[in-house]
Amino acid sequence: MDPTTVNPQIIDSVNQTQLATMSPQVVKTSGAGKAYQSVAQSAAIAIQDATDNLRNASTIATTAAGVAISQMLVDPANAELYQTVIQESKDLVTQSTTDLAAIGTAMATLMKEFPSG
């Protein structure tokens, strides 16, 4: 056997591998899958950020309400001012909750509508 001759089975195997991995449809599907994964990861990060925002808003609101209640006990004459702070604290948490829900819904819609390949 001539050492410079390549076995036809090897040539056929290489050609079939190229067809299986480099055909336009395979490349297109693979690219679409990678794009879908990237968008899914971005959506997950957006939801994590909104969750962190809610957690932080809740911490701030709880602290502000606690200080307002303490001040209300010390200075009952200004109770109305402190009640306003408490209400604003509640509103902060409510808005952060609304934002989280809206972001979650938007990301779910985006993922449903985004082509996966």
Side-chain angles (χ1 to χ4, degrees), residues 98-117:
T98 301
D99 291 346
L100 174 59
I103 290 168
T105 299
M107 293 303 103
T109 300
L110 173 69
M111 295 312 302
K112 286 178 192 170
E113 294 176 359
F114 196 88
S116 61

Side-chain angles (χ1 to χ4, degrees), residues 13-68:
S13 176
V14 169
N15 288 336
Q16 286 187 34
T17 301
Q18 284 180 325
L19 283 174
T21 59
M22 299 303 291
S23 73
Q25 185 57 43
V26 169
V27 171
K28 181 180 176 184
T29 301
S30 176
K34 289 175 185 173
Y36 182 84
Q37 288 175 347
S38 180
V39 170
Q41 184 177 17
S42 295
I45 290 169
I47 292 169
Q48 287 174 334
D49 288 348
T51 302
D52 287 343
N53 180 62
L54 174 57
R55 183 179 305 108
N56 293 337
S58 180
T59 299
I60 291 166
T62 302
T63 303
V67 170

Side-chain angles (χ1 to χ4, degrees), residues 5-7 14 27 31 48 51 66 68 78 87-90 98 104 108:
T5 303
V6 178
N7 184 321
V14 169
V27 171
Q48 287 174 334
T51 302
N78 286 316
Q87 185 57 51
E88 290 292 329
S89 298
K90 289 180 185 178
T98 301

Side-chain angles (χ1 to χ4, degrees), residues 66-88:
V67 170
I69 291 168
S70 295
Q71 291 300 314
M72 196 182 306
L73 294 172
V74 171
D75 183 17
N78 286 316
E80 188 175 319
L81 169 66
Y82 303 124
Q83 288 173 345
T84 301
V85 171
I86 293 168
Q87 185 57 51
E88 290 292 329

